[in-house]
Amino acid sequence: MVQHEIAGCNVIPGCWTVQIVESCNVTYYRPFIHAEALMGIFELGSGRNLVTVTIAGKRPVAASETRSTESPSAGDHVRVSSIEASARDLQDLAVLWSIGEARATDVVGAACEALVAGLDSPALRILAACTRGEAEYDVPDLLPAALDELGLTFYPRDSEAGREAAVRALADQMLAGRLTPRELALRIHQRFGHQLPLAERLAELDDEYDILEYGDRTPAQIDAEVTAEARRLASGAGNDPIPRS
């Protein structure tokens, strides 16, 4: 009886449950989030690095507010580190999205995590409230505003600065353990070829992986060189690669 009459039945006849959830998001939840964001605008005024007040009374902060000259307590240090990490992740996801290396839904997920960590702005709230179906259409409009309000940088799609920032973001991902050295070199090579001076050495190292069986180098040696190059890029160094070993 349970299998035939209960399992899989719809909440409203003729509508899948997922349709009801999506409709609730579009017709109720998102207007609520939008109204809440507008309340923050009217209360505090608009502008760069906008700080808003949540309904719960918590005072969120923009990315630039996490830098203080005062000595923080242990709890404050953990919170500041979490906020800075969330801001960095949002910035990285934004730049990877701008070159097609991340999905719009990934950006929405990073916006949600940033809100949870304590970052806040009107556009960030609306961005975090996007559904999967809305993300592709809304992220291009909401992301620049959210980054601007948080004091972060928006890179236009396929801009030179955006491509270089994306290389550094991918290097960060490898150093964080989200990519292997081989995967980093491959993604850089596939995305930029040998056309981007900043990433030229990684593209060359991807070629070296392909000819390992014909040379005298080991995978571990190339991995080490990719890792060193990733550290150089993540540190913000310029276009001069580490000398070849």
Side-chain angles (χ1 to χ4, degrees):
M1 174 180 175
V2 172
Q3 181 177 1
H4 292 91
E5 298 187 19
I6 303 299
C9 68
N10 292 322
V11 176
I12 298 176
C15 294
W16 290 352
T17 303
V18 68
Q19 291 176 307
I20 299 171
V21 173
E22 290 288 336
S23 295
C24 179
N25 282 334
V26 172
T27 61
Y28 174 75
Y29 181 66
R30 286 207 62 211
F32 177 84
I33 292 295
H34 185 255
E36 182 189 8
L38 290 177
M39 288 166 59
I41 294 173
F42 293 142
E43 182 170 353
L44 296 176
S46 60
R48 191 173 181 82
N49 299 334
L50 181 64
V51 179
T52 60
V53 179
T54 65
I55 289 177
K58 174 185 174 185
R59 182 184 183 277
V61 295
S64 61
E65 289 189 288
T66 64
R67 303 175 183 86
S68 173
T69 57
E70 299 178 1
S71 299
S73 66
D76 288 339
H77 178 73
V78 171
R79 180 169 180 270
V80 168
S81 297
S82 175
I83 291 172
E84 289 180 336
S86 295
R88 187 166 54 249
D89 286 345
L90 180 60
Q91 178 76 83
D92 284 351
L93 258 297
V95 73
L96 292 176
W97 171 81
S98 75
I99 66 162
E101 280 286 328
R103 300 168 298 178
T105 51
D106 295 331
V107 176
V108 172
C112 291
E113 292 175 4
L115 280 175
V116 171
L119 285 171
D120 198 6
S121 84
L124 183 67
R125 294 184 187 189
I126 300 172
L127 178 61
C130 286
T131 65
R132 288 191 182 93
E134 296 164 340
E136 290 294 334
Y137 302 98
D138 290 350
V139 165
D141 293 328
L142 292 172
L143 183 58
L147 294 178
D148 183 70
E149 290 169 356
L150 295 171
L152 302 174
T153 304
F154 174 73
Y155 296 96
R157 278 186 175 272
D158 297 322
S159 65
E160 182 76 10
R163 288 193 290 271
E164 292 189 351
V167 169
R168 299 186 195 280
L170 288 170
D172 282 337
Q173 289 198 350
M174 196 226 81
L175 295 174
R178 298 170 190 164
L179 296 173
T180 65
R182 180 69 177 95
E183 288 170 339
L184 172 64
L186 178 62
R187 288 179 68 172
I188 291 292
H189 197 182
Q190 287 179 334
R191 176 61 58 178
F192 304 109
H194 293 268
Q195 307 304 312
L196 189 64
L198 185 69
E200 170 64 16
R201 184 57 189 143
L202 287 175
E204 291 175 348
L205 288 167
D206 183 53
D207 290 332
E208 293 192 28
Y209 277 115
D210 292 336
I211 59 172
L212 272 171
E213 60 182 304
Y214 306 107
D216 57 0
R217 302 190 69 187
T218 67
Q221 288 175 321
I222 302 180
D223 285 350
E225 192 169 345
V226 170
T227 300
E229 186 67 8
R231 290 197 181 103
R232 180 188 75 84
L233 292 167
S235 72
N239 290 340
D240 295 328
I242 295 173
R244 303 182 188 188
S245 57

